[in-house]
Amino acid sequence: MNYTNLLKIALVAIAANKMRSFLTALGIIIGIASVITMLAIGQGTKQSIQANISEMGSNMIMISPGADMRGGVRQDASSMETLKLSDYEAIKDECSYVKAVSPLVNRSGQWIYGNNNTPSTLYGINQDYLEIRQISVNNGEMFTDADIKSSAKVCILGQTVADNLFPDDSDPIGKVVRFNSIPFRVIGVLKKKGYNSMGMDQDDLVLAPYTTVMKRILAQTYLGSIQCSAITEGVTDKAIDQITQILRRNHKLKDATENSEADEDDFNIRSQEELSSMMNSTTNMLTVLLGCVAGISLIVGGIGIMNIMYVSVTERTREIGLRMSVGARGIDILNQFLIEAILLSLTGGVIGVLLGLGASYAINLFARWPVSVELWTIIMSFGVCTFTGVFFGWYPAKKAAQLDPIEAIRYE
């Protein structure tokens, strides 16, 4: 018996029990749709995080104070005063793998203009910070070196702060706003960046010269952190090594000798590449978890196919006996029921893929979640469908092929 005839027989058998065939395939439909939707959410989240990290600067390097031991008690890193302006100057002058470097100090507080006010964070930086973080001034201008040297009370507003302080859409340039009780003249407004994938508003900030924040707001001589940008992403590790050597020399930290161990770094260096790798690892694990949870329904659908094939074999025992009595071999009977199981699973797979694509689109449209349907997920879905049909349809088909023709004809 050729496969064309076997395919026709399988189609006739499925068409004869339309509702039962649909309910059998329903488990596969739900399973495939769930797998595609869950993987689309996982991949979309991963791509969204990668895009946000790239927007912040894929070659960005962040230097922060390290925790220290005092009297046997480890101190909070945020309270350390290990980063100085001399460290920033040394990195700027000596590090050949760094193209931009900026000191960073910050303070949160209330911004006020007239009857309007809003809480936000003031960041003390220099001009390189815009290049490092890949942000730009949309309206107005950036402060100058002269403003930094004179600790001028000028600032650049993020779009969210500007909208909250000037809800009538008036031009904030040249206006004087207050940070708590300290006046600042607005000289620019940053280009809008929106929310990142972690739900943080990237426009809720105000920039000012770092000398102004250090002297007039914080009254301190040390830095909260230093941010750098490597020449290219490929030399980030070399830049980190250079920065480490410079800071260890500036902080007079001893290297390891035969008689003593090296002093621990009193600073921490993190790169955006490291953050990207960590986030990718987390999202990959989440995607696998979502896929596994959705895959459980595929197993349930496969068991449903096995059950129905068992019922089909029992109902059609006389038919099997008649076919075998007129010359059908056991392998022909096996292929007949196996093709029927594969057809059920593939049909469910096609409907499941369409349903999964529709669900992914709906989630993106209504819930605003980032989704990304990859081609490999669809190919994998069809592969899983075929495997499910073969795996769960094999045993009932084999049982049908092993029936004794005489006993099968006598079956009532």
Side-chain angles (χ1 to χ4, degrees):
M1 189 176 292
N2 59 43
Y3 285 98
T4 304
N5 289 334
L6 291 176
L7 181 60
K8 290 179 180 178
I9 293 170
L11 288 172
V12 169
I14 292 173
N17 298 278
K18 294 183 181 66
M19 182 55 68
R20 188 174 73 182
S21 299
F22 172 74
L23 293 176
T24 303
L26 189 59
I28 300 295
I29 293 171
I30 295 173
I32 293 296
S34 300
V35 168
I36 289 179
T37 305
M38 293 298 101
L39 291 179
I41 292 172
Q43 290 295 320
T45 302
K46 179 179 177 179
Q47 291 180 9
S48 177
I49 291 173
Q50 288 176 334
N52 281 310
I53 290 175
S54 296
E55 285 180 6
M56 291 189 292
S58 59
N59 53 347
M60 187 170 70
I61 300 170
M62 297 152 284
I63 308 163
S64 58
D68 192 17
M69 295 289 288
R70 295 182 181 177
V73 178
R74 183 167 292 277
Q75 304 296 311
D76 182 9
S78 62
S79 65
M80 294 296 98
E81 304 176 8
T82 54
L83 293 181
K84 305 288 185 180
L85 281 172
S86 58
D87 297 325
Y88 152 67
E89 296 287 350
I91 292 171
K92 183 178 70 171
D93 295 338
E94 301 176 31
C95 193
S96 58
Y97 291 107
V98 167
K99 65 177 179 179
V101 56
S102 171
L104 180 64
V105 287
N106 64 282
R107 169 63 65 86
S108 296
Q110 202 76 8
W111 287 90
I112 304 166
Y113 178 75
N115 294 326
N116 301 312
N117 66 88
T118 183
S120 189
T121 303
L122 173 63
Y123 291 91
I125 47 94
N126 68 6
Q127 298 95 325
D128 284 353
Y129 185 79
L130 299 186
E131 179 182 354
I132 296 169
R133 295 300 300 270
Q134 296 186 358
I135 55 180
S136 59
V137 178
N138 184 49
N139 185 22
E141 60 185 12
M142 183 63 177
F143 49 77
T144 63
D145 288 332
D147 292 327
I148 294 177
K149 289 178 181 178
S150 63
S151 304
K153 290 185 284 187
V154 295
C155 69
I156 301 171
L157 304 180
Q159 190 62 56
T160 299
V161 179
D163 291 342
N164 290 334
L165 294 182
F166 302 92
D168 57 353
D169 293 330
S170 61
D171 187 4
I173 306 301
K175 304 290 177 60
V176 176
V177 297
R178 285 183 293 130
F179 179 69
N180 296 333
S181 59
I182 301 173
F184 280 83
R185 180 169 58 88
V186 179
I187 60 172
V189 177
L190 293 173
K191 185 177 180 180
K192 187 177 179 64
K193 292 195 75 173
Y195 287 83
N196 62 20
S197 59
M198 291 169 279
M200 298 176 61
D201 187 355
Q202 300 179 91
D203 301 310
D204 189 11
L205 79 167
V206 179
L207 305 181
Y210 66 90
T211 51
T212 304
V213 179
M214 291 175 69
K215 293 178 181 179
R216 302 183 186 276
I217 306 293
L218 301 174
Q220 67 183 37
T221 58
Y222 60 92
L223 301 176
S225 64
I226 300 173
Q227 296 201 353
C228 310
S229 180
I231 297 173
T232 63
E233 190 173 346
V235 300
T236 300
D237 291 338
K238 293 181 179 179
I240 290 174
D241 291 339
Q242 271 193 341
I243 293 169
T244 301
Q245 293 174 6
I246 291 170
L247 292 180
R248 286 186 63 83
R249 183 199 67 205
N250 278 14
H251 297 182
K252 297 181 172 57
L253 299 175
K254 296 179 182 179
D255 294 327
T257 64
E258 293 182 1
N259 300 322
S260 62
E261 296 181 356
D263 291 339
E264 288 187 14
D265 293 340
D266 58 356
F267 54 87
N268 295 314
I269 302 178
R270 295 287 182 268
S271 68
Q272 204 74 323
E273 185 179 358
E274 182 181 345
L275 175 61
S276 176
S277 177
M278 181 185 69
M279 295 301 292
N280 283 341
S281 176
T282 303
T283 53
N284 284 339
M285 188 179 300
L286 176 63
T287 302
V288 170
L289 177 62
L290 291 174
C292 289
V293 171
I296 293 174
S297 56
L298 276 177
I299 297 175
V300 175
I303 293 173
I305 287 178
M306 181 181 284
N307 287 337
I308 293 302
M309 293 311 296
Y310 264 122
V311 172
S312 183
V313 168
T314 303
E315 286 183 346
R316 295 157 64 187
T317 300
R318 284 174 60 87
E319 175 192 332
I320 294 168
L322 287 171
R323 291 185 185 280
M324 296 181 76
S325 66
V326 295
R329 299 168 298 168
I331 189 66
D332 296 324
I333 302 300
L334 176 68
N335 288 335
Q336 174 188 336
F337 283 91
L338 203 54
I339 289 172
E340 191 173 326
I342 293 173
L343 279 175
L344 283 172
S345 60
L346 282 179
T347 303
V350 171
I351 299 173
V353 167
L354 296 176
L355 186 61
L357 293 174
S360 301
Y361 176 76
I363 288 172
N364 178 252
L365 183 64
F366 298 109
R368 299 296 179 186
W369 287 2
V371 296
S372 175
V373 179
E374 304 285 345
L375 179 61
W376 66 266
T377 61
I378 297 176
I379 296 173
M380 181 196 70
S381 298
F382 281 108
V384 169
C385 286
T386 305
F387 174 78
T388 302
V390 173
F391 183 81
F392 288 98
W394 176 264
Y395 189 72
K398 186 178 179 182
K399 181 182 178 184
Q402 292 176 340
L403 286 174
D404 181 87
I406 298 175
E407 292 297 328
I409 293 173
R410 290 177 178 175
Y411 184 82
E412 296 294 337

